[in-house]
Amino acid sequence: MADFRLEKLHVILDEPIPGINHFQAVDPEEFAWHGTFDLAQQLGITPLDDFTYAPFEEEVWHPAGAGLKTIRALLKEFRRQAATSEEVQQRLRPTLAMFEKLEELFDQADAHDREFYLSARDLD
């Protein structure tokens, strides 16, 4: 297990939401590189890492609302940063798009009282 590298990150829901494929909500390889731990700590919110479990760890289910709170706080900060300049806006465009998709998914999951965890995977 020492060779494990987080290269894919999947949203896992306790039950599907009709009409939504949570496995394809965002690109799992792109999501794996979100790199928001330090930002979450600076913002005083629960880092996404706290919801993330490797294959050799026992996962813990969390209310979708907890993830939604983190995602919305991060998205708000990314939007604030993007508003500072065109250069920053262009750099953050893919991140904003991904977190907007995550917000939509988690908003629906919360509305349907779902629980979730983030499943870390390597490329194998």
Side-chain angles (χ1 to χ4, degrees):
M1 296 301 168
D3 292 336
F4 180 80
R5 287 182 41 177
L6 191 162
E7 295 173 318
K8 291 184 179 183
L9 191 58
H10 297 274
V11 177
I12 306 297
L13 298 178
D14 61 339
E15 293 181 47
I17 300 170
I20 297 175
N21 184 341
H22 61 274
F23 293 112
Q24 295 180 345
V26 294
D27 181 307
E29 289 181 40
E30 180 183 356
F31 190 25
W33 296 101
H34 63 81
T36 60
F37 183 81
D38 290 338
L39 179 58
Q41 287 192 315
Q42 290 170 11
L43 296 172
I45 60 173
T46 304
L48 291 174
D49 300 55
D50 286 8
F51 305 120
T52 302
Y53 301 91
F56 49 86
E57 296 177 309
E58 186 172 339
E59 70 276 348
V60 175
W61 294 94
H62 303 274
L68 180 60
K69 183 177 178 180
T70 294
I71 289 163
R72 283 189 170 153
L74 291 168
L75 190 53
K76 180 180 178 181
E77 177 59 19
F78 291 140
R79 287 177 175 148
R80 186 197 67 75
Q81 291 176 14
T84 62
S85 75
E86 182 65 33
E87 180 182 328
V88 174
Q89 184 179 33
Q90 286 181 350
R91 182 174 47 82
L92 287 177
R93 191 167 286 137
T95 301
L96 285 165
M98 179 178 66
F99 274 86
E100 287 168 352
K101 290 177 187 174
L102 286 166
E103 181 184 34
E104 290 175 25
L105 172 63
F106 276 82
D107 186 50
Q108 286 296 312
D110 186 42
H112 287 84
D113 295 319
R114 298 298 192 258
E115 292 188 329
F116 83 103
Y117 69 92
L118 302 177
S119 177
R121 299 283 184 231
D122 56 18
L123 290 179
D124 292 334

